[in-house]
Amino acid sequence: MKKFLISMLCPALFVLATSLAMPAFAADDSAASPTSESSTTSMKILYDKLKADKKLVVADNMSLTKAEEKGFWPIYDAYQKDLNKINERMAKVIKDYALAYNNNKGTVTSVTAKQLIDETIAIELDEAKLKQSYVPKLGKVLPAAKVARYVQIENKIRAIVRYSLADMIPLVE
């Protein structure tokens, strides 16, 4: 069995997580805005690199036959597109939390906290539903063991991103 290559993806995932969280919680408002043209271009380059690296990790660890590849990659691409919508929602929650946190010197109102909790849980539920909806699609083109392997790879990658974000985002006061 091939060695799991997640370690090659870790630096890119860490940079992505850092780019999502750190500018949002920066104390100096005079720093470049995360929405500036230069920052947007850098994020696009990082996103494209991360996407390519992730696909390489998946390809290296799935051991797909030619026939399986034909069925798998279109499903993979569709899943990544749908997963990106969830990622965008989570980035918005992080941005909203950062705004509330920075505007209130580390505290967040009860109303804001409840809204952030509700949206975060909704995102997690939607991610689970998304994964659940793709398992049968994958099962039509892959044996169950390879579907399980792919789900494991996705779970490991998501865990790395979540850990990096959790490590960088300050707790509510």
Side-chain angles (χ1 to χ4, degrees), residues 95 125 128 130:
K95 183 180 173 186
L125 289 171
L130 178 66

Side-chain angles (χ1 to χ4, degrees), residues 98-173:
L99 184 63
Y101 184 92
N102 289 337
N103 286 343
N104 296 304
K105 297 180 175 55
T107 62
V108 176
T109 68
S110 292
V111 170
T112 300
K114 172 106 175 70
Q115 290 170 339
L116 294 170
I117 290 167
D118 290 347
E119 179 60 9
T120 299
I121 291 171
I123 291 168
E124 290 173 0
L125 289 171
D126 288 346
E127 184 177 344
K129 289 176 191 172
L130 178 66
K131 190 182 307 178
Q132 186 177 42
S133 75
Y134 272 85
V135 167
K137 296 173 188 178
L138 290 164
K140 290 179 182 176
V141 298
L142 297 176
K146 287 188 178 178
V147 173
R149 179 186 289 244
Y150 174 64
V151 171
Q152 285 178 311
I153 293 167
E154 283 290 341
N155 286 343
K156 288 179 183 229
I157 292 168
R158 303 291 287 170
I160 292 166
V161 171
R162 283 191 181 102
Y163 176 80
S164 296
L165 288 170
D167 190 45
M168 291 178 279
I169 298 172
L171 295 173
V172 172
E173 294 293 326

Side-chain angles (χ1 to χ4, degrees), residues 2-3 5 8 55-63 73 149 153:
K2 291 182 180 184
K3 181 181 172 188
L5 299 176
M8 72 180 262
K55 196 167 192 172
L56 178 62
V57 167
V58 171
D60 283 348
N61 288 281
M62 288 298 294
S63 302
W73 290 113
R149 179 186 289 244
I153 293 167

Side-chain angles (χ1 to χ4, degrees), residues 27-55:
D28 182 8
D29 291 332
S30 66
S33 166
T35 58
S36 70
E37 184 177 331
S38 165
S39 180
T40 302
T41 301
S42 296
M43 287 298 293
K44 172 77 171 115
I45 292 168
L46 176 61
Y47 175 76
D48 290 344
K49 169 94 170 92
L50 176 62
K51 196 166 116 177
D53 287 351
K54 181 179 180 183
K55 196 167 192 172

